[in-house]
Amino acid sequence: MINHQTNILETYRRIRPLGAQVAQQLLRHIDKSTMQKVGKELGLFKRGTFIFGSEEETNVLADFCILFADGPHAPITRLQRSESFTPDSDEMQILEAMQRAVYSVFVFDEIDGKGIIKAHDYLTRNTIVLIDQGLSATAMPDFALATNLIPIPSTNAFMTGGAALPLHIKDEGGKQEVSAIIARFHSFAEEEGGLSRKRQRLFAKQLIRTLLRHNAMEHMETR
Protein backbone atom coordinates (compact mmCIF):
# COMPACT_ATOMS: atom_id res chain seq x y z
CA MET A 1 0.00 0.00 0.00
CA ILE A 2 2.82 2.40 0.91
CA ASN A 3 4.64 1.77 -2.39
CA HIS A 4 1.37 2.18 -4.30
CA GLN A 5 0.68 5.53 -2.63
CA THR A 6 4.27 6.63 -3.24
CA ASN A 7 3.96 5.80 -6.94
CA ILE A 8 0.71 7.76 -7.25
CA LEU A 9 2.24 10.79 -5.53
CA GLU A 10 5.32 10.61 -7.75
CA THR A 11 3.17 10.47 -10.87
CA TYR A 12 1.08 13.39 -9.60
CA ARG A 13 4.15 15.51 -8.83
CA ARG A 14 5.47 14.90 -12.34
CA ILE A 15 2.16 15.46 -14.12
CA ARG A 16 0.72 18.39 -12.15
CA PRO A 17 3.19 21.10 -13.28
CA LEU A 18 2.90 19.90 -16.87
CA GLY A 19 -0.89 20.04 -16.53
CA ALA A 20 -0.66 23.69 -15.50
CA GLN A 21 1.48 24.44 -18.55
CA VAL A 22 -0.93 22.61 -20.85
CA ALA A 23 -3.85 24.54 -19.33
CA GLN A 24 -2.13 27.83 -20.14
CA GLN A 25 -1.78 26.77 -23.76
CA LEU A 26 -5.40 25.66 -23.88
CA LEU A 27 -6.53 29.12 -22.77
CA ARG A 28 -5.08 30.52 -25.98
CA HIS A 29 -7.23 28.10 -27.99
CA ILE A 30 -10.58 29.31 -26.61
CA ASP A 31 -12.23 31.38 -29.31
CA LYS A 32 -14.52 34.34 -28.64
CA SER A 33 -17.72 32.62 -29.80
CA THR A 34 -17.12 29.64 -27.49
CA MET A 35 -16.46 31.95 -24.55
CA GLN A 36 -19.67 33.92 -25.16
CA LYS A 37 -21.78 30.79 -25.72
CA VAL A 38 -20.59 29.17 -22.50
CA GLY A 39 -20.88 32.50 -20.67
CA LYS A 40 -24.57 32.65 -21.57
CA GLU A 41 -25.12 29.06 -20.43
CA LEU A 42 -23.54 29.76 -17.04
CA GLY A 43 -25.28 33.11 -16.57
CA LEU A 44 -22.03 35.07 -16.86
CA PHE A 45 -22.66 36.78 -20.23
CA LYS A 46 -25.69 39.04 -20.36
CA ARG A 47 -26.71 41.65 -22.94
CA GLY A 48 -23.36 41.45 -24.68
CA THR A 49 -21.27 41.83 -21.50
CA PHE A 50 -19.44 39.42 -19.23
CA ILE A 51 -20.39 39.91 -15.58
CA PHE A 52 -18.10 38.34 -12.97
CA GLY A 53 -18.39 38.51 -9.21
CA SER A 54 -14.75 37.48 -8.70
CA GLU A 55 -11.63 36.41 -10.54
CA GLU A 56 -12.41 32.80 -9.66
CA GLU A 57 -15.60 33.01 -11.73
CA THR A 58 -13.49 33.78 -14.81
CA ASN A 59 -11.59 30.56 -14.07
CA VAL A 60 -14.85 28.62 -13.81
CA LEU A 61 -15.83 29.91 -17.26
CA ALA A 62 -12.44 29.05 -18.79
CA ASP A 63 -12.47 25.54 -17.26
CA PHE A 64 -15.91 24.82 -18.73
CA CYS A 65 -14.78 26.05 -22.16
CA ILE A 66 -11.72 23.80 -22.04
CA LEU A 67 -13.29 20.61 -20.73
CA PHE A 68 -16.79 20.71 -22.20
CA ALA A 69 -16.49 22.46 -25.56
CA ASP A 70 -17.16 20.03 -28.43
CA GLY A 71 -16.41 19.94 -32.13
CA PRO A 72 -13.42 21.14 -34.16
CA HIS A 73 -13.19 24.40 -32.21
CA ALA A 74 -12.83 22.65 -28.84
CA PRO A 75 -9.57 23.87 -27.22
CA ILE A 76 -8.30 20.35 -26.48
CA THR A 77 -8.92 19.22 -30.06
CA ARG A 78 -7.24 22.32 -31.46
CA LEU A 79 -4.16 21.87 -29.26
CA GLN A 80 -3.90 18.16 -30.12
CA ARG A 81 -3.91 19.03 -33.82
CA SER A 82 -1.36 21.81 -33.41
CA GLU A 83 1.52 19.30 -33.26
CA SER A 84 2.87 21.08 -30.19
CA PHE A 85 3.44 17.71 -28.50
CA THR A 86 4.61 14.31 -29.71
CA PRO A 87 2.02 11.49 -29.55
CA ASP A 88 3.84 9.68 -26.72
CA SER A 89 4.56 12.78 -24.59
CA ASP A 90 3.27 13.37 -21.06
CA GLU A 91 1.52 16.48 -22.36
CA MET A 92 -0.48 14.45 -24.88
CA GLN A 93 -1.41 11.99 -22.12
CA ILE A 94 -2.68 14.93 -20.08
CA LEU A 95 -4.82 16.15 -22.99
CA GLU A 96 -6.27 12.66 -23.42
CA ALA A 97 -6.98 12.50 -19.67
CA MET A 98 -8.73 15.88 -19.88
CA GLN A 99 -11.08 14.41 -22.48
CA ARG A 100 -12.09 11.86 -19.84
CA ALA A 101 -12.58 14.44 -17.09
CA VAL A 102 -15.79 14.35 -15.08
CA TYR A 103 -17.59 17.06 -13.16
CA SER A 104 -17.97 15.78 -9.63
CA VAL A 105 -19.61 16.74 -6.36
CA PHE A 106 -17.93 15.21 -3.34
CA VAL A 107 -17.29 15.56 0.38
CA PHE A 108 -13.91 14.93 1.99
CA ASP A 109 -13.77 11.79 4.14
CA GLU A 110 -10.08 11.21 4.88
CA ILE A 111 -7.20 13.67 4.39
CA ASP A 112 -3.62 12.57 5.02
CA GLY A 113 -2.07 16.04 4.78
CA LYS A 114 0.52 14.81 2.25
CA GLY A 115 -1.56 14.86 -0.89
CA ILE A 116 -3.95 11.91 -0.79
CA ILE A 117 -7.63 12.51 -0.10
CA LYS A 118 -10.46 10.01 0.05
CA ALA A 119 -13.82 11.52 -0.81
CA HIS A 120 -17.43 10.43 -1.15
CA ASP A 121 -18.87 11.17 -4.58
CA TYR A 122 -22.50 12.34 -4.34
CA LEU A 123 -23.36 11.26 -7.89
CA THR A 124 -22.04 7.70 -7.85
CA ARG A 125 -22.11 7.21 -4.05
CA ASN A 126 -18.61 5.70 -4.42
CA THR A 127 -15.34 6.53 -2.69
CA ILE A 128 -12.86 8.29 -4.96
CA VAL A 129 -9.16 8.98 -4.45
CA LEU A 130 -7.95 12.53 -5.11
CA ILE A 131 -4.35 13.64 -5.24
CA ASP A 132 -4.02 17.33 -4.42
CA GLN A 133 -1.25 18.59 -2.15
CA GLY A 134 -2.80 22.04 -1.80
CA LEU A 135 -6.23 20.77 -0.78
CA SER A 136 -4.71 18.05 1.40
CA ALA A 137 -2.93 20.69 3.46
CA THR A 138 -5.89 23.06 3.89
CA ALA A 139 -9.19 21.17 3.46
CA MET A 140 -11.32 19.99 6.37
CA PRO A 141 -13.30 16.73 6.61
CA ASP A 142 -16.98 17.03 5.66
CA PHE A 143 -16.31 20.01 3.38
CA ALA A 144 -18.17 19.58 0.07
CA LEU A 145 -16.94 20.78 -3.32
CA ALA A 146 -17.96 20.73 -6.96
CA THR A 147 -15.15 20.67 -9.50
CA ASN A 148 -13.62 18.87 -12.47
CA LEU A 149 -11.72 15.65 -11.82
CA ILE A 150 -9.07 14.57 -14.30
CA PRO A 151 -7.81 10.96 -14.26
CA ILE A 152 -4.11 10.73 -13.41
CA PRO A 153 -2.52 8.62 -16.17
CA SER A 154 -1.70 5.01 -15.20
CA THR A 155 -3.41 5.26 -11.80
CA ASN A 156 -6.90 4.82 -10.33
CA ALA A 157 -6.82 8.32 -8.83
CA PHE A 158 -7.86 11.80 -9.94
CA MET A 159 -6.49 15.30 -9.69
CA THR A 160 -8.68 18.36 -9.52
CA GLY A 161 -8.89 20.43 -12.66
CA GLY A 162 -9.46 24.15 -12.33
CA ALA A 163 -11.65 26.27 -10.07
CA ALA A 164 -13.76 24.60 -7.39
CA LEU A 165 -17.10 25.74 -6.01
CA PRO A 166 -18.19 24.97 -2.43
CA LEU A 167 -21.63 23.54 -1.76
CA HIS A 168 -21.91 25.33 1.59
CA ILE A 169 -24.26 28.08 0.43
CA LYS A 170 -26.36 29.86 3.01
CA ASP A 171 -29.60 30.37 1.11
CA GLU A 172 -32.13 27.62 1.90
CA GLY A 173 -33.71 27.84 -1.54
CA GLY A 174 -30.28 27.45 -3.11
CA LYS A 175 -29.57 24.36 -1.01
CA GLN A 176 -32.81 22.78 -2.21
CA GLU A 177 -32.01 23.58 -5.85
CA VAL A 178 -28.55 22.04 -5.55
CA SER A 179 -29.91 18.92 -3.82
CA ALA A 180 -32.54 18.49 -6.53
CA ILE A 181 -29.94 18.72 -9.32
CA ILE A 182 -27.65 16.19 -7.65
CA ALA A 183 -30.55 13.80 -6.96
CA ARG A 184 -31.78 14.01 -10.57
CA PHE A 185 -28.40 13.26 -12.09
CA HIS A 186 -27.66 10.56 -9.53
CA SER A 187 -30.80 8.83 -10.79
CA PHE A 188 -29.55 9.16 -14.38
CA ALA A 189 -26.19 7.68 -13.36
CA GLU A 190 -27.91 4.77 -11.61
CA GLU A 191 -30.24 4.06 -14.53
CA GLU A 192 -27.61 4.40 -17.25
CA GLY A 193 -24.56 2.95 -15.49
CA GLY A 194 -22.86 6.35 -15.40
CA LEU A 195 -23.37 9.70 -17.04
CA SER A 196 -22.81 10.14 -20.76
CA ARG A 197 -20.66 13.05 -21.94
CA LYS A 198 -23.85 14.94 -22.80
CA ARG A 199 -25.30 14.33 -19.32
CA GLN A 200 -21.99 15.32 -17.71
CA ARG A 201 -22.04 18.63 -19.52
CA LEU A 202 -25.66 19.29 -18.60
CA PHE A 203 -25.03 18.42 -14.96
CA ALA A 204 -22.01 20.73 -14.79
CA LYS A 205 -23.90 23.56 -16.47
CA GLN A 206 -26.95 23.35 -14.22
CA LEU A 207 -24.97 22.97 -11.01
CA ILE A 208 -22.42 25.71 -11.77
CA ARG A 209 -25.12 28.15 -12.86
CA THR A 210 -27.07 27.53 -9.64
CA LEU A 211 -24.03 27.79 -7.38
CA LEU A 212 -22.88 31.02 -9.01
CA ARG A 213 -26.36 32.51 -8.79
CA HIS A 214 -26.33 31.85 -5.05
CA ASN A 215 -22.84 33.33 -4.64
CA ALA A 216 -21.23 30.05 -3.64
CA MET A 217 -17.77 31.44 -4.31
CA GLU A 218 -18.16 33.81 -1.36
CA HIS A 219 -18.16 30.83 0.98
CA MET A 220 -14.98 29.17 -0.27
CA GLU A 221 -13.02 28.52 2.91
CA THR A 222 -10.33 26.08 1.86
CA ARG A 223 -8.55 27.77 -1.04
Side-chain angles (χ1 to χ4, degrees):
M1 174 66 82
I2 293 175
N3 287 337
H4 178 62
Q5 291 184 346
T6 300
N7 290 339
I8 291 177
L9 283 170
E10 288 177 352
T11 301
Y12 167 82
R13 289 169 184 151
R14 176 172 57 85
I15 291 293
R16 189 71 174 187
L18 293 175
Q21 294 172 23
V22 169
Q24 285 300 312
Q25 294 197 46
L26 285 167
L27 287 173
R28 295 194 287 270
H29 287 277
I30 303 174
D31 59 41
K32 182 178 179 180
S33 61
T34 297
M35 189 76 77
Q36 291 179 347
K37 178 179 181 293
V38 171
K40 288 178 182 177
E41 291 183 280
L42 300 183
L44 295 171
F45 186 75
K46 301 175 182 178
R47 299 178 182 177
T49 303
F50 283 103
I51 301 173
F52 299 109
S54 68
E55 183 178 348
E56 279 295 297
E57 291 185 4
T58 67
N59 296 333
V60 171
L61 174 63
D63 294 339
F64 197 100
C65 290
I66 289 171
L67 294 175
F68 287 104
D70 295 317
H73 296 293
I76 293 175
T77 301
R78 295 178 67 186
L79 185 53
Q80 286 175 322
R81 291 177 177 174
S82 71
E83 299 184 353
S84 298
F85 312 120
T86 59
D88 59 347
S89 65
D90 284 338
E91 289 87 351
M92 192 63 78
Q93 284 192 56
I94 291 169
L95 287 172
E96 292 170 355
M98 284 182 167
Q99 290 178 314
R100 294 181 283 115
V102 296
Y103 198 78
S104 179
V105 182
F106 53 88
V107 62
F108 300 119
D109 288 335
E110 298 178 25
I111 304 167
D112 73 351
K114 300 177 181 178
I116 298 177
I117 301 169
K118 288 186 179 179
H120 177 76
D121 187 294
Y122 284 141
L123 276 183
T124 64
R125 308 289 168 85
N126 294 328
T127 296
I128 55 177
V129 178
L130 311 179
I131 312 299
D132 192 310
Q133 290 185 305
L135 275 179
S136 180
T138 60
M140 300 292 291
D142 300 325
F143 191 81
L145 283 179
T147 193
N148 300 291
L149 296 181
I150 300 171
I152 299 175
S154 304
T155 76
N156 61 350
F158 298 87
M159 58 183 177
T160 55
L165 290 166
L167 266 66
H168 292 258
I169 54 181
K170 296 179 179 179
D171 180 78
E172 194 60 38
K175 291 180 181 178
Q176 292 178 6
E177 283 186 69
V178 167
S179 295
I181 292 170
I182 294 172
R184 182 163 64 253
F185 283 90
H186 167 69
S187 296
F188 290 144
E190 288 280 286
E191 294 168 4
E192 301 168 10
L195 294 181
S196 65
R197 182 71 175 168
K198 184 177 180 180
R199 293 270 200 213
Q200 270 283 327
R201 190 184 193 283
L202 187 60
F203 170 63
K205 182 182 78 171
Q206 291 186 8
L207 188 63
I208 291 171
R209 187 182 178 97
T210 300
L211 289 172
L212 291 179
R213 184 157 43 83
H214 290 282
N215 302 313
M217 195 63 74
E218 293 180 2
H219 312 299
M220 178 59 100
E221 300 168 0
T222 63
R223 298 295 279 208

